[in-house]
């Protein structure tokens, strides 16, 4: 199909749905079901919220290969539901390692969880290699001889 044909068919076919912004057939509801993701350039943004509270249900390596952010927000705080997911945090490292450029990335967890603490400790050297900095959720801001707690980012 040419690009025009694909564009026309996606507008006229209401049976198609979107998963993580990727067109899929209704029978295949998971982005990890072997779909071929269209080739395209990565998107560079200042701030990206890792979808679904950093759950592995909707976010994988492809997200971090495609969405290249200076800051990623991790808001998961539900261990029973796998939020945040260790696999997603590992996917960040793998995706960043494939960028081909060593841009500074800051990870902002909004909650102090066992998963993020263990991941941070176990992958600290890899984070340094990849120029990834993790801000502690209990950060402080210092301005002109005063310091005060940093605000958490909540969505």
């Amino acid at each position: 199909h040419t690009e025009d044909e694909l564009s026309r068919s996606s507008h006229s076919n209401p049976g198609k749905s979107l998963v993580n912004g990727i067109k899929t057939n209704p029978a295949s509801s998971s982005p990890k079901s072997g779909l071929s993701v269209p080739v395209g350039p990565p998107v560079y943004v200042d701030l990206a919220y890792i979808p679904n509270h950093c759950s592995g249900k909707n976010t994988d390596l492809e997200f971090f290969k495609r969405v290249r952010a200076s800051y990623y927000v991790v808001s998961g705080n539900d261990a029973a539901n796998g939020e945040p997911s260790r696999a997603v945090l590992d996917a960040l490292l793998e995706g960043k390692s494939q960028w081909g450029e060593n841009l500074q990335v800051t990870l902002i967890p909004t909650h102090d969880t066992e998963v993020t603490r263990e991941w941070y400790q176990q992958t600290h050297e890899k984070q340094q290699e990849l120029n990834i900095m993790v801000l502690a959720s209990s950060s402080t801001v210092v301005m002109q001889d005063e310091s005060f707690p940093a605000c958490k980012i909540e969505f």
Side-chain angles (χ1 to χ4, degrees):
H1 293 306
T2 68
E3 205 167 71
D4 284 344
E5 289 171 329
L6 287 173
S7 176
R8 280 194 302 271
S9 69
S10 67
H11 292 296
S12 63
N13 187 351
K16 298 244 181 189
S17 62
L18 292 176
V19 175
N20 283 345
I22 300 169
K23 289 184 177 112
T24 63
N25 290 322
S28 108
S29 61
S30 169
K32 300 175 185 176
S33 62
L35 291 175
S36 174
V37 177
V39 176
V43 177
Y44 291 85
V45 295
D46 292 328
L47 177 72
Y49 172 81
I50 299 176
N52 203 28
H53 304 288
C54 197
S55 167
K57 295 174 189 169
N58 295 41
T59 308
D60 60 7
L61 173 62
E62 193 62 33
F63 175 81
F64 295 106
K65 288 166 68 176
R66 288 289 195 74
V67 179
R68 300 180 181 186
S70 297
Y71 299 89
Y72 288 101
V73 177
V74 177
S75 70
N77 190 25
D78 187 357
N81 283 319
E83 299 168 3
S85 164
R86 169 68 189 249
V88 172
L89 296 171
D90 289 340
L92 165 64
L93 295 175
E94 179 63 26
K96 174 81 166 63
S97 72
Q98 296 179 30
W99 287 9
E101 50 196 327
N102 200 14
L103 301 173
Q104 170 72 48
V105 167
T106 302
L107 190 66
I108 306 169
T110 62
H111 297 89
D112 182 19
T113 67
E114 187 174 330
V115 170
T116 53
R117 278 193 311 270
E118 286 179 4
W119 176 82
Y120 176 80
Q121 292 170 351
Q122 294 170 0
T123 64
H124 188 69
E125 286 182 27
K126 183 74 170 173
Q127 294 166 40
Q128 288 180 322
E129 285 174 31
L130 295 172
N131 204 16
I132 296 174
M133 179 176 68
V134 179
L135 291 181
S137 61
S138 58
S139 298
T140 57
V141 174
V142 178
M143 297 181 88
Q144 298 180 353
D145 301 327
E146 290 185 56
S147 80
F148 49 90
C151 295
K152 286 187 176 182
I153 299 173
E154 295 288 344
F155 291 87

